């Protein structure tokens, strides 16, 4: 039986509140780092932050597939399928494989992205990936079970714990490595929810709608997509570091900070609500375009209004981070509006995933990422190149998703009409 409308509204409100807490915590993390470190140290911290959130971003594919699969199983008429893959153990298994790969490969690529990082930090990132796979698996299962209270509390608590530990590290000395290790701390929070909340314990027992092998393959496709997602959403500062000349990157801390700040107001709430959107699309019998038309309009309106506000008051807000973080209004406005198209790409991808179109989901994000990264290597002023990159890639990827979903729904409609047509003939 469906929960009462008032209960559902309360639960969705808790998701909204948790997204605000996560967004505020993300802002405060950046303020703590900018106030505790020199601009050059902060540029390296932002690159580390991009690597860490990029790794975590790849793992969000586990959450997306867990949400879809657990929800699909709960709606299936065939509830007798006992051999569905156990969601959390499979997530941890995949996380262990990813952590091992990171630990072994870090000496090859980590020094280029995080100069001077000790091997202990490499191992810390690898361990955090293993732990975060449990967090993200539990979050996906709670979303699939529509336990929104547990889902939202898990997200908010993880962000708050990370912020508090980083603030403590800053208070005790504010070293670059102290803040970096503090950023890894939130990955332990899910153990509490798994042990001491009813929603978490239910999620521990959640199973997918397919067996282990099929579920691992689907998770692999979702993670491959999430890797592309992570490059555009959380790992973009690290990509800019690779594409920029050393001279440009040395003074790029204000630009990197602006990229992170301008996308947070749209992307953090949207990512928090992605599980809600996924379950709504699975529930609905309407075409995806009808379900998403209002969210699309709201996102574009928010992007336009936010872009204007960012252009007008953004330069003054940037001064909170210190006098070394001056950014032009036009750049802040353009980056804010570009974030709206990244949000639309996220929604079109969610629509593809909800329809079980894993390869289409992957294709749209890969095309978007490839286009954005390629543009970064075009010679020109770094700020202008970044803006163009963040507009063009998401627009192309969203078109790929939209065309694929529309074709699939048109094909499904024709199939459903075939018996009637045959009778009429």
């Amino acid at each position: 039986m469906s929960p009462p409308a008032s209960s559902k509204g309360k639960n969705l409100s808790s998701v909204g509140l948790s997204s605000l807490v996560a967004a505020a915590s993300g802002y405060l993390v950046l303020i703590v780092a900018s106030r505790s470190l020199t601009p050059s140290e902060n540029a390296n911290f932002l690159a580390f932050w991009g690597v860490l959130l990029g790794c975590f971003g790849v793992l969000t594919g586990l959450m997306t597939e867990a949400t879809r699969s657990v929800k699909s199983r709960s709606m299936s008429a065939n509830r007798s399928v006992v051999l569905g893959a156990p969601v959390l153990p499979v997530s941890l298994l995949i996380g262990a494989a990813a952590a091992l790969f990171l630990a072994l490969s870090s000496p090859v690529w980590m020094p280029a992205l995080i100069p001077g990082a000790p091997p202990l930090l490499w191992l810390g990132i690898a361990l955090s990936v293993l732990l975060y796979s449990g967090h993200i698996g539990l979050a996906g299962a709670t979303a699939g079970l529509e336990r929104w209270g547990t889902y939202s509390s898990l997200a908010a608590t993880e962000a708050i714990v990370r912020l508090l530990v980083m603030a403590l590290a800053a208070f005790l000395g504010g070293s670059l490595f102290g803040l970096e290790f503090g950023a890894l701390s939130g990955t332990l929070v899910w153990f509490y929810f798994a042990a001491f909340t009813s929603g978490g314990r239910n999620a521990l027992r959640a199973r997918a709608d397919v067996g282990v092998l099929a579920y691992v393959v689907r998770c692999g496709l979702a993670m491959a997509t999430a890797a592309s997602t992570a490059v555009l959403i959380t790992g973009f500062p690290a990509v800019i570091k690779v594409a920029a000349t050393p001279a440009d990157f040395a003074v790029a801390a204000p630009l990197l900070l602006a990229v992170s700040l301008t996308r947070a107001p749209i992307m953090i709430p949207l990512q928090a609500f992605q599980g809600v959107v996924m379950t709504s699309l699975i529930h609905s019998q309407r075409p995806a375009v009808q379900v998403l038309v209002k969210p699309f309009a709201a996102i574009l309106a928010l992007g336009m209004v936010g872009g204007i506000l960012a252009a007008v008051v953004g330069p003054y807000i940037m001064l909170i981070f210190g006098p070394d973080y001056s950014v032009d209004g036009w750049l802040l406005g353009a980056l804010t509006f570009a974030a709206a198209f990244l949000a639309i790409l996220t929604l079109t991808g969610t629509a593809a995933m909800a329809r079980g179109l894993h390869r289409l989901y992957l294709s749209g994000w890969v095309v978007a990422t490839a286009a954005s990264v390629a543009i970064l290597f075009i010679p020109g002023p770094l700020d202008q190149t970044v803006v163009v990159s963040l507009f063009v890639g998401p627009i192309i990827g969203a078109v790929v998703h939209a065309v694929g979903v529309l074709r699939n729904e048109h094909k499904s409609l024709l199939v459903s009409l075939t018996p009637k047509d045959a009778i009429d003939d």
Side-chain angles (χ1 to χ4, degrees):
M1 185 174 65
S2 301
S6 59
S7 175
K8 184 176 181 181
K10 181 179 178 181
N11 288 333
L12 295 186
S13 295
S14 71
V15 176
L17 179 60
S18 75
S19 72
L20 293 177
V21 170
S25 298
Y27 276 122
L28 292 173
V29 161
L30 297 176
I31 292 174
V32 168
S34 68
R35 286 295 187 176
S36 305
L37 306 172
T38 67
S40 60
E41 287 177 329
N42 195 32
N44 278 327
F45 174 81
L46 290 171
F48 156 81
W49 189 243
V51 170
L52 179 65
L53 295 187
C55 291
F56 288 176
V58 173
L59 293 176
T60 59
L62 296 176
M63 183 176 74
T64 306
E65 177 55 28
T67 300
R68 188 209 63 79
S69 190
V70 171
K71 183 60 186 175
S72 177
R73 178 184 174 89
S74 71
M75 294 181 64
S76 175
N78 184 12
R79 299 288 184 88
S80 63
V81 181
V82 181
L83 298 179
V87 169
L88 188 63
V90 172
S91 294
L92 287 169
L93 181 63
I94 294 173
L100 180 61
F101 173 78
L102 275 176
L104 295 177
S105 66
S106 288
V108 177
W109 55 269
M110 192 77 77
L113 291 180
I114 312 175
L120 185 60
L121 182 62
W122 306 347
L123 294 177
I125 292 175
L127 178 60
S128 70
V129 164
L130 170 59
L131 293 172
Y132 195 72
S133 68
H135 170 95
I136 212 73
L138 195 72
T142 56
L145 295 171
E146 298 192 61
R147 300 297 295 260
W148 301 118
T150 303
Y151 173 81
S152 56
S153 298
L154 179 62
T157 306
E158 189 260 350
I160 291 171
V161 167
R162 180 191 296 119
L163 172 63
L164 291 177
V165 175
M166 288 186 67
L168 178 62
F171 177 76
L172 294 177
S175 70
L176 174 60
F177 295 144
L179 264 66
E180 288 173 340
F181 279 108
L184 306 177
S185 58
T187 55
L188 297 169
V189 166
W190 68 273
F191 286 106
Y192 168 82
F193 285 87
F196 298 109
T197 67
S198 60
R201 289 192 295 270
N202 286 338
L204 285 177
R205 299 188 293 271
R207 288 183 174 270
D209 58 347
V210 292
V212 172
L213 181 59
Y215 185 65
V216 168
V217 170
R218 290 180 178 181
C219 284
L221 289 171
M223 289 176 66
T225 305
S228 298
T229 306
V231 169
L232 284 181
I233 294 179
T234 54
F236 207 67
V239 179
I240 293 174
K241 180 167 187 177
V242 173
T245 65
D248 283 340
F249 188 78
V251 295
L255 174 62
L256 299 182
L257 189 59
V259 170
S260 297
L261 291 175
T262 52
R263 59 183 46 189
I266 294 178
M267 291 308 303
I268 291 179
L270 178 61
Q271 287 178 307
F273 275 99
Q274 197 169 2
V276 179
V277 174
M278 176 78 72
T279 56
S280 297
L281 285 164
I282 293 174
H283 271 303
S284 179
Q285 299 299 316
R286 295 183 297 157
V289 66
Q290 293 182 17
V291 176
L292 296 177
V293 63
K294 289 183 178 179
F296 282 166
I299 286 170
L300 286 175
L302 181 60
M304 291 174 62
V305 173
I308 294 170
L309 290 175
V312 175
V313 303
Y316 302 101
I317 294 176
M318 291 296 294
L319 296 179
I320 295 173
F321 298 90
D324 296 312
Y325 293 89
S326 175
V327 177
D328 291 338
W330 76 264
L331 179 58
L332 292 169
L335 289 173
T336 301
F337 190 41
F341 291 93
L342 188 58
I344 286 176
L345 172 62
T346 301
L347 283 183
T348 57
T350 301
M353 189 70 167
R355 297 293 185 259
L357 304 173
H358 293 72
R359 287 176 176 79
L360 175 63
Y361 181 48
L362 173 61
S363 298
W365 275 104
V366 167
V367 168
T369 302
S372 289
V373 171
I375 290 171
L376 285 180
F377 286 89
I378 296 175
L382 184 59
D383 53 359
Q384 296 177 21
T385 304
V386 167
V387 168
V388 173
S389 169
L390 290 175
F391 270 105
V392 173
I395 290 173
I396 294 174
V399 169
V400 170
H401 282 154
V403 170
V405 170
L406 288 172
R407 289 181 61 185
N408 175 264
E409 291 182 341
H410 179 66
K411 185 185 298 183
S412 298
L413 179 62
L414 290 179
V415 170
S416 66
L417 292 176
T418 298
K420 180 179 182 299
D421 291 344
I423 293 172
D424 290 344
D425 289 339

